[in-house]
């Protein structure tokens, strides 16, 4: 049976791109590893943040659109995007959020303590200590590798049909059921990061897409050959996957699972150094070849953005 290693990336809608860059690049200290456009709507940025090289399992991506209608987090979406930090880094993050005036709550699930908070657009995030996973080498904004976000811990899924979603995680994507706590069913993939998926089994209100909500969650596959096999597995399970789509930094298939959440399966290669050197990731607006001759017009449609670090870190 094919088994995904865990989350490849998570993609969300947000409002102003500058505010988005300042929060993920400054407050959370992730690296902007790619600045490109939405290939399906080229007047909108597509910003990718991750560890120093944007490894699978560390990547959160955004379609920022000024004046976007605010969405509602609820069933049919990824409800909480969870980040993993090294053991001992919890208090650093608690103090950092306090100092930067990001309101947070503290929760416990499966015996683990979480900092839960929202980005400026309302996207719900959490931070938890995790021993597994490699420390990020990206050191910025007063955040050193022994406190930096390593990547995703995982995600909490809000489903219209949690039993069906749980079934798909276990029997289609190949995750292992771990247990249940406070109405959350936990599943684990075999990767060392971005592999802890909780499904909220409690009834929930409907989510509405818009700024501050996740658009889709992508699962890892090793290469395009395995992706073809995944396409068959997903079809045989009764879903309707798209053909394989070229996303420049990976190839993708998409399908909607029974709980209403849009799933993608994305290849680990080629990654973000395919069109920019490691030292200069995220610096230039990158366009796929088929848009390159529109560069000038596209650049005029996009608001210029540049990272501003939080004041206390300057
Ligand atoms: Zn995606």
């Amino acid at each position: 049976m094919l088994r995904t290693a865990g989350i490849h990336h998570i993609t969300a809608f947000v409002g102003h791109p500058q505010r988005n860059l300042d929060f993920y690049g400054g407050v959370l200290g992730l690296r902007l590893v790619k600045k490109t456009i939405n290939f399906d709507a080229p007047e909108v940025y597509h910003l990718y943040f991750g560890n120093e090289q944007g490894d699978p399992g560390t990547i959160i991506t955004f379609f920022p659109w000024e004046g976007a209608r605010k969405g509602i987090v609820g069933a049919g979406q990824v409800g909480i995007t969870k980040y993993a930090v090294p053991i001992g880094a919890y208090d650093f993050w608690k103090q950092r959020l306090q100092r930067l005036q990001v309101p947070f709550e503290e929760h416990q699930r499966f015996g683990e303590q979480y900092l839960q908070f929202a980005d400026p657009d309302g996207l719900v995030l959490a931070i938890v200590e995790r021993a597994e996973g490699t420390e990020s080498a990206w050191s910025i904004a007063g955040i050193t590798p022994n406190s930096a976000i390593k990547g995703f811990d995982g995600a909490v899924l809000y489903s219209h049909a949690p039993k069906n979603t749980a079934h798909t995680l276990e029997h289609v994507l190949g995750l292992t059921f771990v247990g249940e706590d406070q109405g959350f069913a936990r599943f684990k993939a075999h990767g060392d990061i971005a592999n802890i998926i909780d499904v909220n089994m409690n009834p929930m209100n409907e989510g509405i897409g818009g700024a501050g909500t996740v658009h889709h969650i992508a699962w890892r596959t090793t290469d395009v050959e395995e992706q073809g096999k995944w396409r068959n597995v997903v079809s045989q399970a009764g879903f309707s996957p798209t053909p394989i789509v070229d996303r420049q930094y990976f190839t993708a298939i998409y399908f909607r699972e029974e709980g209403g959440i849009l799933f993608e399966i994305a290849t680990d290669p080629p990654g973000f150094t395919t069109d920019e050197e490691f030292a200069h990731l995220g610096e230039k607006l990158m366009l796929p070849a088929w848009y390159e001759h529109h560069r000038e017009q596209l650049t005029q449609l996009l608001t210029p953005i540049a990272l501003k670090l939080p004041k206390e870190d300057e």
Side-chain angles (χ1 to χ4, degrees), residues 9 11 46 61 216-218 250 252 254 264 266:
H9 66 270
T11 294
H46 194 183
T61 98
H216 65 264
I217 181 168
F250 46 86
Y254 303 85
E264 174 183 342

mmCIF file of all heavy atoms in Angstrom, residues 9 11 46 61 216-218 250 252 254 264 266, ligand 1:
data_model
loop_
_atom_site.group_PDB
_atom_site.id
_atom_site.type_symbol
_atom_site.label_atom_id
_atom_site.label_comp_id
_atom_site.label_asym_id
_atom_site.label_seq_id
_atom_site.Cartn_x
_atom_site.Cartn_y
_atom_site.Cartn_z
ATOM 1 N N HIS A 9 2.492 20.687 1.752
ATOM 2 C CA HIS A 9 2.277 22.116 2.014
ATOM 3 C C HIS A 9 0.821 22.365 2.355
ATOM 4 O O HIS A 9 -0.029 21.489 2.170
ATOM 5 C CB HIS A 9 2.713 22.973 0.817
ATOM 6 C CG HIS A 9 1.889 22.777 -0.432
ATOM 7 N ND1 HIS A 9 2.203 21.840 -1.380
ATOM 8 C CD2 HIS A 9 0.762 23.385 -0.869
ATOM 9 C CE1 HIS A 9 1.313 21.892 -2.366
ATOM 10 N NE2 HIS A 9 0.415 22.822 -2.084
ATOM 11 N N THR A 11 -2.071 25.581 1.815
ATOM 12 C CA THR A 11 -2.288 26.822 1.071
ATOM 13 C C THR A 11 -3.543 27.525 1.580
ATOM 14 O O THR A 11 -4.583 26.888 1.757
ATOM 15 C CB THR A 11 -2.414 26.514 -0.442
ATOM 16 O OG1 THR A 11 -1.157 26.025 -0.905
ATOM 17 C CG2 THR A 11 -2.802 27.763 -1.233
ATOM 18 N N HIS A 46 1.572 34.568 -5.316
ATOM 19 C CA HIS A 46 1.584 33.295 -4.592
ATOM 20 C C HIS A 46 2.882 33.295 -3.793
ATOM 21 O O HIS A 46 3.969 33.252 -4.379
ATOM 22 C CB HIS A 46 1.517 32.104 -5.551
ATOM 23 C CG HIS A 46 1.187 30.810 -4.869
ATOM 24 N ND1 HIS A 46 1.139 29.611 -5.527
ATOM 25 C CD2 HIS A 46 0.885 30.542 -3.573
ATOM 26 C CE1 HIS A 46 0.835 28.643 -4.660
ATOM 27 N NE2 HIS A 46 0.679 29.187 -3.463
ATOM 28 N N THR A 61 1.718 28.297 1.960
ATOM 29 C CA THR A 61 1.650 29.187 0.793
ATOM 30 C C THR A 61 0.376 30.009 0.851
ATOM 31 O O THR A 61 -0.618 29.579 1.417
ATOM 32 C CB THR A 61 1.738 28.402 -0.549
ATOM 33 O OG1 THR A 61 0.420 28.200 -1.085
ATOM 34 C CG2 THR A 61 2.438 27.068 -0.396
ATOM 35 N N HIS A 216 -6.452 24.479 0.707
ATOM 36 C CA HIS A 216 -6.234 23.038 0.555
ATOM 37 C C HIS A 216 -5.007 22.583 1.341
ATOM 38 O O HIS A 216 -4.177 23.397 1.748
ATOM 39 C CB HIS A 216 -6.102 22.636 -0.920
ATOM 40 C CG HIS A 216 -4.897 23.201 -1.616
ATOM 41 N ND1 HIS A 216 -4.930 24.354 -2.364
ATOM 42 C CD2 HIS A 216 -3.606 22.774 -1.665
ATOM 43 C CE1 HIS A 216 -3.722 24.599 -2.852
ATOM 44 N NE2 HIS A 216 -2.885 23.653 -2.431
ATOM 45 N N ILE A 217 -4.938 21.291 1.540
ATOM 46 C CA ILE A 217 -3.777 20.664 2.190
ATOM 47 C C ILE A 217 -3.196 19.658 1.203
ATOM 48 O O ILE A 217 -3.940 18.906 0.569
ATOM 49 C CB ILE A 217 -4.176 20.007 3.537
ATOM 50 C CG1 ILE A 217 -2.966 19.374 4.231
ATOM 51 C CG2 ILE A 217 -5.286 18.965 3.363
ATOM 52 C CD1 ILE A 217 -3.233 18.972 5.689
ATOM 53 N N ALA A 218 -1.876 19.705 1.046
ATOM 54 C CA ALA A 218 -1.207 18.808 0.100
ATOM 55 C C ALA A 218 -0.405 17.764 0.855
ATOM 56 O O ALA A 218 0.255 18.067 1.854
ATOM 57 C CB ALA A 218 -0.297 19.601 -0.831
ATOM 58 N N PHE A 250 6.701 21.555 -7.984
ATOM 59 C CA PHE A 250 6.217 20.187 -7.747
ATOM 60 C C PHE A 250 5.134 19.948 -8.788
ATOM 61 O O PHE A 250 4.688 20.899 -9.444
ATOM 62 C CB PHE A 250 5.653 20.020 -6.319
ATOM 63 C CG PHE A 250 4.734 21.132 -5.883
ATOM 64 C CD1 PHE A 250 3.390 21.100 -6.182
ATOM 65 C CD2 PHE A 250 5.234 22.224 -5.175
ATOM 66 C CE1 PHE A 250 2.546 22.123 -5.784
ATOM 67 C CE2 PHE A 250 4.393 23.270 -4.777
ATOM 68 C CZ PHE A 250 3.043 23.212 -5.088
ATOM 69 N N ALA A 252 1.184 18.199 -9.168
ATOM 70 C CA ALA A 252 0.081 18.052 -8.223
ATOM 71 C C ALA A 252 -1.108 17.342 -8.838
ATOM 72 O O ALA A 252 -1.350 17.442 -10.042
ATOM 73 C CB ALA A 252 -0.354 19.440 -7.745
ATOM 74 N N TYR A 254 -5.333 16.917 -7.462
ATOM 75 C CA TYR A 254 -6.269 17.427 -6.452
ATOM 76 C C TYR A 254 -7.515 16.553 -6.429
ATOM 77 O O TYR A 254 -7.956 16.070 -7.477
ATOM 78 C CB TYR A 254 -6.703 18.857 -6.780
ATOM 79 C CG TYR A 254 -5.570 19.841 -6.904
ATOM 80 C CD1 TYR A 254 -4.896 19.984 -8.119
ATOM 81 C CD2 TYR A 254 -5.176 20.624 -5.830
ATOM 82 C CE1 TYR A 254 -3.844 20.889 -8.247
ATOM 83 C CE2 TYR A 254 -4.134 21.532 -5.955
ATOM 84 C CZ TYR A 254 -3.469 21.654 -7.165
ATOM 85 O OH TYR A 254 -2.437 22.544 -7.298
ATOM 86 N N GLU A 264 -4.653 17.649 -1.944
ATOM 87 C CA GLU A 264 -3.731 17.629 -3.073
ATOM 88 C C GLU A 264 -2.677 16.579 -2.754
ATOM 89 O O GLU A 264 -2.395 16.337 -1.574
ATOM 90 C CB GLU A 264 -3.076 19.021 -3.223
ATOM 91 C CG GLU A 264 -1.981 19.109 -4.268
ATOM 92 C CD GLU A 264 -1.315 20.500 -4.309
ATOM 93 O OE1 GLU A 264 -1.910 21.474 -3.789
ATOM 94 O OE2 GLU A 264 -0.206 20.587 -4.836
ATOM 95 N N ALA A 266 1.298 16.108 -3.803
ATOM 96 C CA ALA A 266 2.350 16.888 -4.467
ATOM 97 C C ALA A 266 3.688 16.170 -4.352
ATOM 98 O O ALA A 266 4.006 15.571 -3.326
ATOM 99 C CB ALA A 266 2.445 18.279 -3.838
HETATM 100 ZN ZN1 LIG B 1 -1.146 23.170 -3.326
#
